[in-house]
Amino acid sequence: MREKIIHRATELFLTLGFKSVTMDDIANELGISKKTIYVHFENKTKLVESTTLEMFALISHGIDGICQLQKDPIEEIYDIKQLVLEHLKDEKSSPYHQLQKYYPKIFNSLRSKQFGLMDACVVNNLKRGIALGLYRDTIEIAFISKIYFASIMSLKDKQLFPLKVFSMASLMNYYIEYHVRGICTPKGLKVLSKIINNQIQPNDK
């Protein structure tokens, strides 16, 4: 039952937002009493914490699986992007912002974990790209890995990127192309162009 609660709560939080969803909402969705939820979770904060950790573990496992394939570094970036989008939906309710505002301790802990995961992944990607002649060997790896993380996080800012103008899928596509073009060699640009041409472009508006 604990896993069922986490699974359904995660879906509701991502769809409606962490603040918007109540324990009553979750209980009604599952067809159980609110008391049953409290048997497994002391309060809503504990449930929110469990759902964020579960989602992070799931995405982390997926990213590790992609990295282990040792694909072309540029293709790897796009595969990871697709994985993240599939798990996080389009974030129409701005759950990331709600988590930051109403559950700051959980938000800061999650952000720290996200940085650790993403930094290691990006650094490895950059090193492989340089070795393969796809990325310029003059790039500053430590700087780019941090800028990459900061930029990806900023895409979730709905004041900067309102949903009426940008979907999360389009933002991710725009930024990744921007990132890769900035570090590629002519050889890498050919790979990037091939990937972009083979993509099924999302409805951006």
Side-chain angles (χ1 to χ4, degrees):
M1 178 56 69
R2 177 184 171 83
E3 292 304 315
K4 287 183 178 180
I5 294 171
I6 290 177
H7 178 72
R8 190 63 185 128
T10 299
E11 290 183 339
L12 290 172
F13 288 148
L14 289 178
T15 302
L16 303 173
F18 288 97
K19 177 65 175 178
S20 305
V21 176
T22 67
M23 297 294 260
D24 284 317
D25 293 331
I26 298 168
N28 291 335
E29 285 287 329
L30 289 167
I32 60 177
S33 69
K34 192 162 60 172
K35 289 183 179 179
T36 302
I37 298 178
Y38 286 121
V39 168
H40 299 279
F41 302 96
E42 182 180 346
N43 50 46
K44 183 181 175 182
T45 299
K46 291 294 184 182
L47 177 56
V48 168
E49 182 178 37
S50 294
T51 58
T52 56
L53 288 174
E54 182 79 7
M55 180 58 66
F56 174 79
L58 187 62
I59 293 176
S60 178
H61 178 72
I63 291 176
D64 286 343
I66 291 172
C67 291
Q68 286 173 9
L69 295 175
Q70 293 286 294
K71 287 186 173 183
D72 175 288
I74 300 175
E75 184 180 354
E76 179 181 89
I77 293 177
Y78 277 89
D79 285 352
I80 291 174
K81 179 265 298 184
Q82 189 58 40
L83 171 77
V84 172
L85 285 176
E86 288 173 359
H87 283 297
L88 297 185
K89 303 180 180 180
D90 205 31
E91 299 197 348
K92 293 181 179 178
S93 60
S94 300
Y96 190 79
H97 173 71
Q98 289 195 16
L99 186 67
Q100 181 178 19
K101 183 176 181 179
Y102 298 106
Y103 301 94
K105 289 184 179 180
I106 297 174
F107 172 84
N108 289 330
S109 176
L110 176 63
R111 185 180 174 85
S112 178
K113 291 177 184 294
Q114 288 174 325
F115 174 73
L117 172 67
M118 193 177 295
D119 188 60
C121 180
V122 173
V123 166
N124 180 263
N125 183 278
L126 292 171
K127 289 180 177 179
R128 289 201 304 115
I130 291 172
L132 293 170
L134 299 173
Y135 303 154
R136 290 179 286 108
D137 59 10
T138 56
I139 62 175
E140 177 53 55
I141 291 176
F143 170 77
I144 291 175
S145 67
K146 290 175 174 56
I147 284 293
Y148 185 88
F149 177 79
S151 299
I152 288 292
M153 293 299 105
S154 73
L155 299 183
K156 299 175 183 291
D157 187 331
K158 300 312 174 189
Q159 289 186 325
L160 284 175
F161 304 107
L163 284 169
K164 291 181 180 180
V165 181
F166 304 101
S167 70
M168 184 53 67
S170 66
L171 286 174
M172 291 286 280
N173 279 330
Y174 295 153
Y175 176 67
I176 288 175
E177 181 179 349
Y178 174 85
H179 164 73
V180 176
R181 285 190 183 279
I183 61 176
C184 268
T185 61
K187 179 182 176 181
L189 288 174
K190 290 181 180 179
V191 175
L192 175 63
S193 295
K194 183 177 179 181
I195 291 174
I196 292 174
N197 290 336
N198 289 337
Q199 276 193 129
I200 299 175
Q201 296 295 330
N203 182 6
D204 294 338
K205 302 296 182 181

